[in-house]
Amino acid sequence: MERDKALSIVKPHLTEKRYIHTIGVMETAVDLAKKYGYDEKKAELAAIFHDYAKYRPENEMKSIIIEQKMPKELLDFHPELWHAPVGSYLVKTEVGIEDVDILNAITYHTTGRPNMTLLEKIIFIADYIEPNRNFPGVEQVRDLVKTNLDGAILQSLKNTIIYLTKKNATIYPDTLYTYNYFIKMKE
Ligand code: DGI
Ligand code: FE
Ligand code: FE
């Protein structure tokens, strides 16, 4: 699918701010695909659709999680996590994208997972560092990604975990498994 067509499909599902974020993720993902040697068109498409389900009503996402037999555990954690796997499902069923690499990159863009593919890493970190983001510590992660993709992901996970603990939020197990995976990789 061409970029403009993909953007025109996703736009009505997003707010203006989220659409600008999506463009930022798209441009960042294409840059990273160039840098780390991945199919730029696939990275572009995955980025465009990564937040497709961000504004679906919670009850609709909940039904999809149950009906599609996604991990039930998701329902015990923050609904903010649901748009990633549900988005992957809806991009497949509503938009007709069947590429499993793209669908997995959407599924895991919020938590990551151990053994992430290169495309999953690109979308995960592009989502975190795109130019409109201003998390504390994002500048350090932007620097790291220039030389060390895995190091940048690990740093972003540390930042997210610290942010969540400060809020007394629960941490979804996949986030911790991903963190452990990247820590062990350094050993
Ligand atoms: O959809 P975006 O805002 O672009 O970014 P995202 O899909 O990475 O979602 C970020 C939100 O998800 C942010 O508010 C932190 C939250 N989050 C990430 N990992 C976890 C989490 N929330 C909980 N409760 N547990 C997690 O493990
Ligand atoms: Fe997201
Ligand atoms: Fe996003």
Side-chain angles (χ1 to χ4, degrees):
M1 187 184 300
E2 281 311 309
R3 174 173 59 190
D4 289 351
K5 165 102 178 146
L7 286 171
S8 73
I9 293 171
V10 84
K11 196 166 196 285
H13 294 277
L14 303 177
T15 61
E16 184 65 24
K17 189 165 176 242
R18 180 68 40 184
Y19 184 70
I20 292 167
H21 160 71
T22 294
I23 301 283
V25 177
M26 177 187 83
E27 290 173 352
T28 307
V30 170
D31 285 349
L32 291 173
K34 268 188 208 144
K35 180 169 179 54
Y36 287 103
Y38 192 83
D39 183 332
E40 291 168 38
K41 297 309 282 181
K42 270 172 76 151
E44 183 176 78
L45 218 49
I48 290 172
F49 287 111
H50 85 282
D51 275 338
Y52 181 75
K54 189 82 180 175
Y55 300 103
R56 291 295 164 123
E58 275 180 25
N59 57 2
E60 186 188 336
M61 292 198 282
K62 191 171 184 177
S63 305
I64 291 171
I65 289 167
I66 294 164
E67 282 158 19
Q68 298 307 315
K69 303 186 168 40
M70 291 174 187
K72 274 206 194 65
E73 207 178 20
L74 278 166
L75 301 176
D76 299 330
F77 289 86
H78 203 279
E80 180 72 42
L81 298 162
W82 302 351
H83 76 285
V86 170
S88 175
Y89 170 76
L90 292 174
V91 163
K92 183 176 181 180
T93 53
E94 295 182 358
V95 184
I97 289 177
E98 306 236 333
D99 187 310
V100 174
D101 301 328
I102 293 176
L103 296 175
N104 281 335
I106 298 171
T107 301
Y108 298 106
H109 85 262
T110 305
T111 61
R113 64 167 166 170
N115 287 305
M116 291 167 84
T117 65
L118 179 54
L119 180 61
E120 289 167 23
K121 290 178 183 179
I122 287 172
I123 299 303
F124 181 90
I125 203 68
D127 189 26
Y128 191 83
I129 63 166
E130 64 91 4
N132 306 290
R133 293 292 208 194
N134 58 2
F135 304 131
V138 70
E139 215 39 73
Q140 184 197 4
V141 179
R142 286 188 183 118
D143 263 349
L144 262 172
V145 87
K146 294 176 190 158
T147 53
N148 182 355
L149 179 60
D150 291 340
I153 295 175
L154 176 58
Q155 189 56 47
S156 72
L157 284 162
K158 285 183 181 174
N159 293 350
T160 298
I161 290 167
I162 289 168
Y163 162 78
L164 291 168
T165 56
K166 279 187 182 150
K167 284 204 313 179
N168 281 327
T170 53
I171 300 174
Y172 191 63
D174 275 0
T175 304
L176 293 171
Y177 291 138
T178 312
Y179 166 80
N180 289 339
Y181 168 78
F182 283 102
I183 286 284
K184 284 184 183 169
M185 229 168 71
K186 296 204 310 173
E187 284 167 4

